Amino acid sequence: QNRREFMPQRNCPSDVCRGQNRVGGETLYLQTRGSKFVKFQELRLQELPSQVPMGHIPRSMSVHCRGELTRVASPGDNVTIDGVFLPQKIA
């Protein structure tokens, strides 16, 4: 699964929770008042066709934007991005 979506845990993974024999002891509930949600957008960047050698496939990479940087670029826009390159392994 390559998608990055927020899905809260429904069941407690702890052995302590499983050891309790009460109804609803394993169910977790999202506390929206105690949570902080931040705008998030994943951009997929691709080389310009004019910069790709003949017969090669354009390289691409993902860029994660948070906060006020979201919804700045639209599909098809030419962008220049400055930042920190942090490779991440996707399971």
Side-chain angles (χ1 to χ4, degrees):
Q1 182 174 347
N2 249 354
R3 299 182 318 176
R4 297 183 184 272
E5 293 180 357
F6 174 72
M7 290 298 296
Q9 276 190 320
R10 302 293 293 169
N11 297 324
C12 179
S14 172
D15 291 331
V16 175
C17 292
R18 284 189 228 124
Q20 297 174 356
N21 292 327
R22 57 184 187 164
V23 177
E26 298 179 5
T27 305
L28 298 175
Y29 299 99
L30 179 64
Q31 298 293 324
T32 54
R33 288 186 177 187
S35 302
K36 180 179 179 182
F37 295 94
V38 179
K39 293 180 185 176
F40 176 83
Q41 182 179 16
E42 181 176 358
L43 302 176
R44 190 87 174 135
L45 303 180
Q46 186 175 356
E47 285 182 297
L48 292 172
S50 60
Q51 296 177 345
V52 178
M54 187 65 77
H56 287 79
I57 298 173
R59 294 176 291 184
S60 62
M61 70 182 333
S62 294
V63 175
H64 297 160
C65 300
R66 292 182 179 87
E68 297 303 316
L69 296 175
T70 59
R71 297 186 181 181
V72 174
S74 299
D77 287 352
N78 291 334
V79 297
T80 300
I81 296 183
D82 296 323
V84 177
F85 179 70
L86 180 63
Q88 293 182 342
K89 185 176 182 179
I90 298 176

